[in-house]
Amino acid sequence: EDIQEQFPPPEILEKWHNGQEADWPPLDMDDEMDLLPQLRFNVEQKVECRVGPDEVTGWVKGTITQLWYREKGWAEGSFAPYKVLLDDGREIFAPGDVDSVIRAQT
């Protein structure tokens, strides 16, 4: 394999020279997804999400619709562990995979 193919392209070297951040080697989406941790729940699993301030009554039942959800405009590499369709029709995302945010349906 040609060693030149292993070097960053000139625009990456220029960014580094100027003190700018530049990812090298660039990760494609499949590689990035492989680096994410294992989640506790799966798509179509029934859960309860904390949507209100009260620790007892602030929970709403729903169903996981997507793992590793992200929205346009979020910083590169930013994900929410889950997108959830609540039983009341709202769509939300769970910002963390912790019991204080999302838990198995009881």
Side-chain angles (χ1 to χ4, degrees), residues 14-82:
E14 184 69 25
K15 285 183 178 181
W16 288 344
H17 177 75
N18 292 327
Q20 298 172 324
E21 289 188 32
D23 291 329
W24 184 260
L27 293 176
D28 64 25
M29 194 59 152
D30 289 336
D31 289 341
E32 193 168 304
M33 295 302 283
D34 288 342
L35 298 175
L36 296 171
Q38 181 72 32
L39 296 174
R40 296 181 296 152
F41 305 114
N42 296 307
V43 171
E44 298 185 7
Q45 192 165 350
K46 302 292 186 182
V47 293
E48 295 177 346
C49 297
R50 177 94 177 263
V51 297
D54 188 277
E55 293 179 14
V56 176
T57 63
W59 296 88
V60 176
K61 293 181 179 187
T63 305
I64 303 287
T65 59
Q66 183 179 336
L67 304 181
W68 296 117
Y69 172 73
R70 61 178 279 112
E71 292 185 357
K72 291 181 182 178
W74 285 6
E76 188 175 327
S78 295
F79 295 89
Y82 305 104

Side-chain angles (χ1 to χ4, degrees), residues 49-51 65 69 82-86 90-94:
C49 297
R50 177 94 177 263
V51 297
T65 59
Y69 172 73
Y82 305 104
K83 184 176 183 182
V84 180
L85 176 60
L86 298 177
R90 292 180 287 170
E91 283 190 313
I92 65 168
F93 65 86

